[in-house]
Amino acid sequence: MANLMSSIADVIYFDNNATTPLAPEVCHAINTACVNAFANPSSASVIGKAAKKLIIESRSEIAQMINADFTDIIFTSGGTESNNWVVYSAIKYYYSKMSEKVSPNDFKSVPLPHIVTTEVEHDAMIEPIQKLVEEGKAQASFIAVDPKTGSIDLEDVLRVLKEETVLVSVMLSNNETGAIFPVAEIMQRVKAASKEYGNCFCHTDAAQSIGKMKIDVKKLNVDYLTIVGHKFYGPRIGALYVNKPGEKTPLPPLFFGGNQERGFRSGTENTPMIVGLGAAARLVNENLELYRNHMYQMKMLLHDKLVEMFETGSERPCVFFNHPNVTDQSNCLVNTISVAFYDPEWKSFTASAVLNNLSKVVASAGAACHSQQHNDSSAVTTPSRVLISCGVEEHIALRTIRLSVGRQTTAADIEEAVVQLYSAVSMAAQTKI
């Protein structure tokens, strides 16, 4: 264990979009709750009530982080559950409403519910929708990304809306390219159009955005918003914002067997992790601009050093940044660089070869969840579907590494990492595989 801890301390960590380390304050909050808040929060005992109070406080911190009412925050196991729950809720709502209008004999003639999303969403949104389509329970439109902007066109969303559209889900920012999507404008127009087409709910997956940009659910015009703790230095649980759950916005339970979370999610609350999530939210509430400014400074330093080290010409390869506005804070996350190393002579050269040659730098070839067999990114032999959907050519996508800096990144880290990257690229290039 000591050797493992020593090796972790020596790592230069540029994979913060995959997961972030727990903030020290979060670790302290979790450890304290494990000792002092071990009682069942549903218990009427003094210590049970104390645990419940901590959960309420955490819920309030999370609500403040996204400018929501604290009663609109439901704790979940993470982003996958939250996203699946949103899809399930919309589909169940649609069929429930149709059953009120159509007799059982005519129900087979009811049009399938329609979902609109993008081609570059996280698998936790794409796969449940695809599963419903495959089973003949829903229809879906997947909006392509404009390679010129790295985002989607509002008009493309409006063009596919129809009477049976029950859900529009557009991520707030992309985990691989860092592209920020105009969710507020899209959902405002969708809401206006849905008055004509039908009752459509709006969702955004904010997993990559929290802790990197200011988030206001009211300005975003969304009914649902996904929160993932381990993306902003919190524990591996999550939460789902739902605008007046069960009243204004449908949220049918996924689990049964208790009345926790006001009947929406049965199961004894994981108090220590919820307290940790609240602590992570508190840090964002108190320090967001500090975090943003630091990460952006580190990202710009990384960008400039990459250009300097891998400048075009002589025997050095070119570097391609897979976001048209990688240095623009309004269009790209303050911490994310998706970069490809390319030379025409490297016929089969891939990002995996570079990653295998890195001794201290931790990065990834695309999203961690997209790695083949969910192993480490060195196993990736096919280009990221997200990059391909963004219009990145396959030979560039195969040579792409995602570098995501964090709160803990230093200028010294970047200096050393770029040198290591140059060495790793040079070693991989010499193989001429």
Side-chain angles (χ1 to χ4, degrees):
M1 179 63 73
N3 290 336
L4 174 61
M5 297 305 294
S6 176
S7 63
I8 291 174
D10 291 336
V11 158
I12 300 174
Y13 191 69
F14 281 177
D15 205 15
N16 290 280
N17 282 10
T19 197
T20 52
L22 283 174
E25 298 90 339
V26 173
C27 285
H28 177 73
I30 291 172
N31 291 337
T32 302
C34 284
V35 175
N36 299 329
F38 63 87
N40 191 320
S42 298
S43 168
S45 67
V46 173
I47 55 176
K49 290 178 180 178
K52 175 66 76 175
K53 183 175 182 290
L54 289 175
I55 290 175
I56 293 172
E57 291 172 356
S58 294
R59 201 187 308 274
S60 296
E61 289 285 356
I62 294 162
Q64 180 184 337
M65 183 174 65
I66 60 172
N67 192 28
D69 296 332
F70 85 99
T71 54
D72 291 346
I73 303 298
I74 310 293
F75 292 110
T76 68
S77 62
T80 297
E81 180 188 334
S82 295
N83 285 353
N84 275 259
W85 201 356
V86 169
V87 174
Y88 170 78
S89 297
I91 296 299
K92 191 170 179 64
Y93 170 84
Y94 177 87
Y95 281 116
S96 174
K97 287 300 179 183
M98 288 297 104
S99 66
E100 296 173 1
K101 300 177 181 180
V102 180
S103 67
N105 293 334
D106 297 330
F107 203 75
K108 290 184 178 180
S109 64
V110 171
L112 293 175
H114 178 236
I115 299 174
V116 180
T117 191
T118 78
E119 290 184 352
V120 296
E121 297 293 313
H122 192 277
D123 287 346
M125 180 55 64
I126 291 283
E127 292 188 13
I129 295 173
Q130 289 177 332
K131 185 69 173 175
L132 287 168
V133 172
E134 291 169 4
E135 294 175 350
K137 297 177 181 177
Q139 53 182 319
S141 298
F142 297 93
I143 307 300
V145 171
D146 183 349
K148 295 179 181 178
T149 65
S151 184
I152 61 172
D153 191 323
L154 166 62
E155 296 302 323
D156 288 342
V157 176
L158 299 178
R159 196 174 296 117
V160 299
L161 293 179
K162 43 191 170 182
E163 187 174 351
E164 53 268 28
T165 303
V166 72
L167 178 66
V168 173
S169 179
V170 177
M171 62 182 4
L172 192 49
S173 59
N174 186 266
N175 51 308
E176 292 192 44
T177 66
I180 298 173
F181 290 10
V183 170
E185 182 183 4
I186 291 171
M187 299 313 182
Q188 181 181 32
R189 295 287 299 277
V190 167
K191 289 287 187 183
S194 68
K195 294 178 181 178
E196 174 185 352
Y197 292 116
N199 196 357
C200 176
F201 297 99
C202 297
H203 165 253
T204 189
D205 184 342
Q208 286 298 334
S209 304
I210 293 175
K212 302 167 191 170
M213 56 189 290
K214 184 69 175 176
I215 295 176
D216 186 328
V217 293
K218 296 177 175 61
K219 291 181 179 179
L220 289 173
N221 302 299
V222 292
D223 304 294
Y224 304 97
L225 182 141
T226 296
I227 299 166
V228 181
H230 73 99
K231 304 295 186 181
F232 61 103
Y233 297 79
R236 286 197 176 101
I237 65 165
L240 182 64
Y241 159 78
V242 187
N243 185 14
K244 300 296 179 290
E247 299 175 21
K248 191 173 181 179
T249 306
L251 192 70
L254 289 174
F255 313 124
F256 299 89
N259 197 40
Q260 291 85 358
E261 291 296 279
R262 288 161 287 149
F264 293 112
R265 189 180 188 274
S266 294
T268 303
E269 298 93 337
N270 189 345
T271 306
M273 294 303 107
I274 290 173
V275 170
L277 190 64
R282 187 179 306 113
L283 290 174
V284 172
N285 292 334
E286 295 173 352
N287 305 297
L288 177 59
E289 285 309 305
L290 179 67
Y291 295 152
R292 278 177 49 82
N293 291 337
H294 174 74
M295 285 188 282
Y296 185 67
Q297 289 175 9
M298 293 301 98
K299 171 183 171 178
M300 288 304 301
L301 179 61
L302 176 60
H303 174 274
D304 294 345
K305 290 296 181 181
L306 285 169
V307 172
E308 178 184 327
M309 182 66 78
F310 294 92
E311 61 187 5
T312 304
S314 67
E315 297 180 356
R316 297 183 177 185
C318 300
V319 287
F320 292 85
F321 297 99
N322 293 318
H323 190 296
N325 303 298
V326 66
T327 62
D328 185 347
Q329 293 189 57
S330 63
N331 289 292
C332 189
L333 289 175
V334 293
N335 79 317
T336 306
I337 290 179
S338 177
V339 60
F341 305 94
Y342 174 68
D343 186 292
E345 294 184 15
W346 302 342
K347 301 300 181 184
S348 301
F349 173 88
T350 67
S352 296
V354 176
L355 294 173
N356 288 336
N357 290 331
L358 291 172
S359 59
K360 289 179 62 177
V361 179
V362 176
S364 61
C369 299
H370 299 163
S371 299
Q372 289 187 354
Q373 306 300 320
H374 298 284
N375 291 327
D376 63 81
S377 54
S378 64
V380 176
T381 57
T382 57
S384 159
R385 67 161 176 84
V386 168
L387 294 180
I388 296 300
S389 297
C390 290
V392 177
E393 296 180 66
E394 183 172 335
H395 69 283
I396 296 296
L398 280 168
R399 293 163 169 81
T400 291
I401 292 175
R402 182 186 66 185
L403 302 168
S404 47
V405 301
R407 301 174 192 172
Q408 73 280 13
T409 305
T410 66
D413 289 337
I414 289 170
E415 293 280 357
E416 185 173 352
V418 173
V419 171
Q420 282 202 30
L421 276 167
Y422 184 75
S423 176
V425 168
S426 300
M427 289 172 61
Q430 290 172 6
T431 62
K432 303 289 185 181
I433 56 174

